[in-house]
């Protein structure tokens, strides 16, 4: 997204070339969510949240008739410096942008930040007690997928309310959750009843949040 000339010829360890501000994505797991697109404005122009070197940025496609030169194809709305970002997502209906931060110290917990767009001046944050693989937004809630086991202890998916009295991070009460690691999580369109998990072994499980079991 940023095309300064001095960044054009950055060489990665495997010989590939890319812009310097995007080299951080080369070090992430192939399944990491490094960007998300949402319609945050009434003028039907998409906004893009993306992981960049040293933090994350929010960019907006210029409207019709706006000047665009060869080096700046997007309007920068906001950029924030922070430790390495592992995943980033936007929720259109609320204007939230969430990020999962991976600690540089291997003994420190992952952290979750939820910013209010577009200025990102206010946020909610929480320590994640286990390494998470993905997250998604529901109605006033955020859900996390994570490895099935951590230090030989079984782990259920995690969730956190985004309301004023969130109560912190909690585990979902699931009685028959699959044994394979959950790498992906998606909320269904109604945003309040069903959530799907994609597992390392190719399995997809569907969880009914109104019951303490998976339904398929």
């Amino acid at each position: 997204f940023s095309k300064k000339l001095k960044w054009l010829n950055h060489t990665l360890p495997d010989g590939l070339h890319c812009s310097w501000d995007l080299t951080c994505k080369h070090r992430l797991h192939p399944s990491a969510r490094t960007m998300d697109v949402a319609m945050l404005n009434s003028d039907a122009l998409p906004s893009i949240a993306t992981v960049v070197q040293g933090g994350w940025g929010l960019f907006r496609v210029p409207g019709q008739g706006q000047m665009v030169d060869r080096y700046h194809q997007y309007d920068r709305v906001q950029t924030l410096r922070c430790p390495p970002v592992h995943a980033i997502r936007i929720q259109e209906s609320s204007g939230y942008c969430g990020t999962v931060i991976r600690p540089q110290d291997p003994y420190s917990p992952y952290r979750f930040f939820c910013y209010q767009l577009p200025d990102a001046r206010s946020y909610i944050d929480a320590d994640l007690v286990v390494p998470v693989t993905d997250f998604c937004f529901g109605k006033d809630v955020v859900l996390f997928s994570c490895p099935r086991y951590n230090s030989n202890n079984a782990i259920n998916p995690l969730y956190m309310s985004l309301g004023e009295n969130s109560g912190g991070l909690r585990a979902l009460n699931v009685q028959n959750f699959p044994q394979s690691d959950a790498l992906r999580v998606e909320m269904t369109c109604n945003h309040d009843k069903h959530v799907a998990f994609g597992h390392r072994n190719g399995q997809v499980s569907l969880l009914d949040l109104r019951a303490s079991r998976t339904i398929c």
Side-chain angles (χ1 to χ4, degrees), residues 52-134:
V52 295
Q53 191 80 6
W56 65 274
L58 180 68
F59 300 84
R60 185 169 175 267
V61 176
Q64 188 174 8
Q66 288 184 283
M67 295 295 294
V68 180
D69 62 42
R70 60 180 295 192
Y71 300 120
H72 300 87
Q73 298 183 11
Y74 299 88
D75 288 337
R76 186 180 68 178
V77 179
Q78 182 65 281
T79 54
L80 276 79
R81 294 188 61 83
C82 63
V85 177
H86 176 68
I88 187 167
R89 302 197 74 170
I90 305 176
Q91 185 184 40
E92 287 186 345
S93 60
S94 65
Y96 285 136
C97 179
T99 62
V100 171
I101 305 298
R102 295 189 67 174
Q104 296 177 328
D105 179 359
Y107 298 101
S108 298
Y110 282 47
R111 297 196 71 191
F112 173 73
F113 288 85
C114 181
Y115 301 89
Q116 184 67 59
L117 299 177
D119 54 23
R121 293 179 181 176
S122 61
Y123 62 87
I124 301 169
D125 67 305
D127 286 341
L128 303 175
V129 294
V130 297
V132 301
T133 55
D134 193 19

Side-chain angles (χ1 to χ4, degrees), residues 3 16 38-39 57 66 113 134 139 145 161 166 182 194 215:
K3 295 190 173 182
L16 295 175
M39 309 298 289
Q66 288 184 283
F113 288 85
D134 193 19
K139 184 177 180 180
S145 61
S161 172
S166 66
H194 300 126
I215 57 178

